[in-house]
Amino acid sequence: MKYLMTIVMLVAMTWEAEAQEYWSRIRDIDDANISKNVKPKDYDERRDEFERLCRLAYEAFDDGDYYMTAIYGDSALANKYFTPKLFYYMGVSLEKLECYKDAGIAFQKAIKAGYMHATGAYAQFKQHMEQLKALDKLNKKEAKRKGEKFVPLSTGKIVPEPMEVKRAPSLRLINNSLKLEGLTADGTLLAGTRCKLLFRLCNDGNAPTGKCDIILSEKSGNDVLNFGTISQTIIPKRHTASVEIPFEADKTLEDGEIELILLIDEPNGFGLPPLHIKVKTQKSL
């Protein structure tokens, strides 16, 4: 993990150095530095590079890494292309990074290009700026009274600064995917029948899980069900895994009800609370 973090920091430092050279493309996508040395034959290459950098920017945004969203997005604009969605994502990211000048321009460009989802975000941004300016007035008076240097908050930063991003999985059981196969039409488990518990697990986080233990058991512990084994599962970030747990009801099963307990344990502490499933039972006819 430390090795991975070192690589991430080196990549961030590399992009930061490059960003200093042409930040910010948001201000003018027709900047002379962009078009320098660009030839018509480079069209396909530039388009492919633009799309690649956009994908990286969107992935970084999903991970909550607003710094890399801004850097990848800025680099994408160096290819003389743009998309309204990219402007919007950069607007949100730049505001969080306190680069207010560029954030406002990005929101305006997104709206001008027809990305109306940015309208609400831009309204909130302007409200945020009004609040900062009001706070600046109070802070300026206080700084003058104390004889201290006044640093306005509303001015923001010229260039985005690297940020620390928490990397962690986030497991979610997709509720409508949970079902029991092998029951009767009215949802009853018959003695001596083979069944399956099926469901899907989604990792919404920005890091893969460890090896998850998935265990299905019966609350009473009377050994009236025989459960199949499930191998440990690793779920990559923003991926979904389909899980199938077979089990068989013993022929001695009586009429009544049993309670199944589904436990999903992640070794780093990102597992899910136990899920209880009640099932009607019936002895053999």
Side-chain angles (χ1 to χ4, degrees), residues 2-283:
K2 290 183 178 178
Y3 177 70
L4 178 61
M5 289 300 297
T6 301
I7 294 176
V8 171
M9 288 302 297
L10 286 173
V11 171
M13 290 171 64
T14 301
W15 280 110
E16 182 184 11
E18 293 186 8
Q20 299 287 348
E21 297 178 7
Y22 54 77
W23 188 269
S24 167
R25 302 300 185 188
I26 279 289
R27 296 171 192 159
D28 186 358
I29 61 170
D30 294 319
D31 185 276
N33 292 328
I34 298 178
S35 57
K36 183 173 63 176
N37 298 324
V38 172
K39 300 177 182 178
K41 67 178 182 180
D42 296 328
Y43 177 90
D44 291 335
E45 290 85 351
R46 287 190 293 108
R47 184 74 189 185
D48 291 344
E49 180 67 359
F50 171 76
E51 292 177 353
R52 183 185 74 85
L53 290 166
C54 278
R55 286 194 297 271
L56 290 172
Y58 300 155
E59 288 176 6
F61 187 87
D62 289 340
D63 289 345
D65 192 339
Y66 303 114
Y67 174 76
M68 293 309 296
T69 302
I71 297 302
Y72 283 131
D74 199 60
S75 301
L77 293 176
N79 292 279
K80 289 199 71 177
Y81 294 102
F82 71 89
T83 66
K85 181 180 178 180
L86 179 61
F87 283 141
Y88 169 68
Y89 275 33
M90 290 187 72
V92 174
S93 299
L94 290 165
E95 180 181 3
K96 291 181 178 295
L97 295 166
E98 300 179 14
C99 293
Y100 300 129
K101 178 180 178 180
D102 289 332
I105 294 172
F107 282 131
Q108 290 173 32
K109 285 182 176 289
I111 296 169
K112 184 177 180 180
Y115 201 78
M116 301 315 295
H117 185 64
T119 305
Y122 184 46
Q124 291 180 351
F125 167 76
K126 289 192 292 185
Q127 185 178 13
H128 180 204
M129 293 307 299
E130 290 174 0
Q131 292 170 348
L132 287 180
K133 289 176 180 177
L135 188 58
D136 278 344
K137 290 182 179 180
L138 295 176
N139 291 341
K140 187 175 182 179
K141 291 180 180 179
E142 185 65 14
K144 184 177 181 180
R145 185 181 68 82
K146 294 182 178 180
E148 298 175 349
K149 182 180 178 181
F150 168 65
V151 180
L153 299 173
S154 59
T155 300
K157 300 171 183 175
I158 299 175
V159 178
E161 297 176 1
M163 60 184 292
E164 183 178 350
V165 180
K166 182 180 179 182
R167 303 281 176 181
S170 178
L171 283 174
R172 172 172 58 90
L173 191 148
I174 302 176
N175 288 330
N176 59 8
S177 70
L178 187 69
K179 62 180 179 178
L180 282 165
E181 283 189 355
L183 305 182
T184 63
D186 66 351
T188 301
L189 174 62
L190 296 178
T193 59
R194 294 181 178 180
C195 301
K196 294 178 183 178
L197 177 66
L198 307 172
F199 59 91
R200 285 185 293 152
L201 267 180
C202 183
N203 178 8
D204 296 318
N206 56 9
T209 68
K211 292 182 178 180
C212 297
D213 287 313
I214 301 174
I215 303 169
L216 184 63
S217 62
E218 196 265 310
K219 185 177 181 180
S220 70
N222 291 330
D223 295 328
V224 291
L225 299 179
N226 299 309
F227 297 99
T229 57
I230 299 297
S231 59
Q232 292 179 317
T233 303
I234 295 176
I235 306 177
K237 65 178 184 179
R238 294 193 296 275
H239 276 68
T240 299
S242 296
V243 181
E244 178 180 301
I245 306 178
F247 64 93
E248 183 175 0
D250 194 84
K251 292 182 180 180
T252 61
L253 187 69
E254 296 290 330
D255 294 347
E257 184 181 77
I258 60 171
E259 186 172 332
L260 300 174
I261 302 176
L262 176 63
L263 179 65
I264 300 168
D265 185 40
E266 201 275 339
N268 300 304
F270 297 100
L272 295 176
L275 179 67
H276 298 258
I277 307 167
K278 292 184 180 180
V279 184
K280 293 186 297 182
T281 61
Q282 183 178 328
K283 61 184 179 182

